[in-house]
């Protein structure tokens, strides 16, 4: 069930958790947020792999109408109902395969942040938790920032996760995957890229 959380109880007001490689992972949610968890009858790897296929979201989500890749860590989402449409860019700021993904909206009205965690269940399935923090400004703050607005957001999130659950359980396996790691909005490469000359596309050596 979706819940509104207070940061003092749900998300510690700390800089983040330090990984083995010494990099501090960003924890974007510090204030009240909407949270929803759904249990899915597929392994964590399968659920995670399918979740990273953002372009497939319109196949199961009545809210998402299109997802376009703009840069390695930035996508543009088009959402809405009926004739109402809103297109906005989203940046992935942190991503750990089979574990965690955090994003932030680059649109200013309303601004939003979110994170999704993948945890294995005792039955071999996946507990998928999504937290979202909306930061409306101007007139939008009167609606989205209200208790009723939070309830609407929670209801939408609950429905979206349920449709994802039905979609991936129906497939039984992922239709693709992106297994990279992202830190502070940058894709981490296992091997450094070779130096390049001043002539475009010509590697040195």
């Amino acid at each position: 069930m979706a819940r509104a959380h207070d940061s003092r109880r749900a998300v510690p007001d700390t800089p983040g958790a330090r990984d083995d490689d010494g990099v501090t992972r960003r924890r974007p949610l510090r204030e009240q947020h909407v949270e929803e968890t759904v249990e899915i009858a597929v392994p964590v790897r399968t659920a995670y792999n399918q979740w990273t296929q953002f372009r497939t979201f319109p196949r199961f989500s009545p809210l998402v109408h299109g997802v376009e890749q703009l840069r390695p860590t930035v996508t543009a989402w088009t959402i809405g109902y009926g004739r109402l449409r809103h297109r906005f860019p989203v940046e992935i700021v942190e991503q750990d395969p089979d574990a965690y993904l955090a994003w932030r909206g680059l649109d200013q009205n309303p601004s939003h942040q979110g994170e999704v965690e993948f945890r294995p269940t005792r039955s071999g399935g996946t507990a998928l938790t999504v937290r979202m923090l909306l930061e409306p400004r101007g007139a939008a703050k009167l609606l989205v920032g209200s208790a009723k607005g939070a309830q609407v957001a929670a209801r939408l999130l609950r429905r979206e996760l349920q449709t994802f659950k039905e979609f991936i359980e129906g497939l039984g396996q992922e239709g693709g995957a992106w297994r990279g790691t992202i830190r502070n909005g940058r894709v981490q490469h296992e091997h450094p890229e070779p130096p390049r000359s001043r002539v475009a596309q010509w590697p040195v050596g």
Side-chain angles (χ1 to χ4, degrees):
M1 180 178 180
R3 302 176 298 277
H5 287 262
D6 185 275
S7 61
R8 290 170 295 182
R9 295 194 303 268
V11 182
D13 190 13
T14 60
R18 186 169 295 274
D19 294 335
D20 294 338
D21 57 7
V23 177
T24 300
R25 264 173 48 178
R26 183 182 305 181
R27 298 296 186 182
L29 304 182
R30 299 284 183 266
E31 304 172 17
Q32 289 185 349
H33 61 274
V34 173
E35 177 179 316
E36 172 72 8
T37 297
V38 64
E39 290 195 10
I40 306 174
V42 298
V44 165
R45 186 182 180 93
T46 299
Y48 172 86
N49 285 348
Q50 186 60 53
W51 186 274
T52 64
Q53 302 303 291
F54 300 134
R55 290 184 180 180
T56 67
F57 272 59
R59 293 176 57 187
F60 61 84
S61 170
L63 182 63
V64 181
H65 295 276
V67 182
E68 178 186 356
Q69 190 82 39
L70 302 182
R71 297 195 298 274
T73 62
V74 178
T75 52
W77 293 64
T78 300
I79 66 172
Y81 285 106
R83 296 183 179 180
L84 296 177
R85 295 287 190 276
H86 178 55
R87 185 176 185 270
F88 57 93
V90 171
E91 179 187 26
I92 303 298
V93 292
E94 305 288 340
Q95 187 163 339
D96 292 307
D98 301 333
Y100 181 79
L101 185 151
W103 74 88
R104 67 185 182 102
L106 301 180
D107 203 354
Q108 294 300 310
N109 193 18
S111 177
H112 71 280
Q113 302 176 52
E115 62 184 9
V116 53
E117 292 182 333
F118 302 81
R119 303 184 307 278
T121 63
R122 292 183 178 180
S123 62
T126 302
L128 190 157
T129 298
V130 175
R131 302 179 188 91
M132 293 185 63
L133 170 63
L134 300 177
E135 299 178 299
R137 300 175 183 178
K141 189 171 184 179
L142 297 177
L143 175 62
V144 181
S146 66
K148 185 175 181 179
Q151 293 174 1
V152 171
R155 187 163 59 248
L156 288 174
L157 177 57
R158 185 183 311 122
R159 184 170 63 181
E160 291 297 293
L161 289 187
Q162 183 63 34
T163 57
F164 176 75
K165 167 185 168 69
E166 295 171 357
F167 177 72
I168 186 57
E169 288 183 347
L171 290 177
Q173 61 183 11
E174 63 268 39
W178 191 81
R179 305 286 303 172
T181 298
I182 296 174
R183 290 285 185 271
N184 296 318
R186 294 177 178 270
V187 177
Q188 304 298 296
H189 300 282
E190 293 184 4
H191 305 287
E193 296 182 358
R196 295 182 178 274
S197 68
R198 294 180 182 274
V199 180
Q201 307 300 327
W202 283 36
V204 173

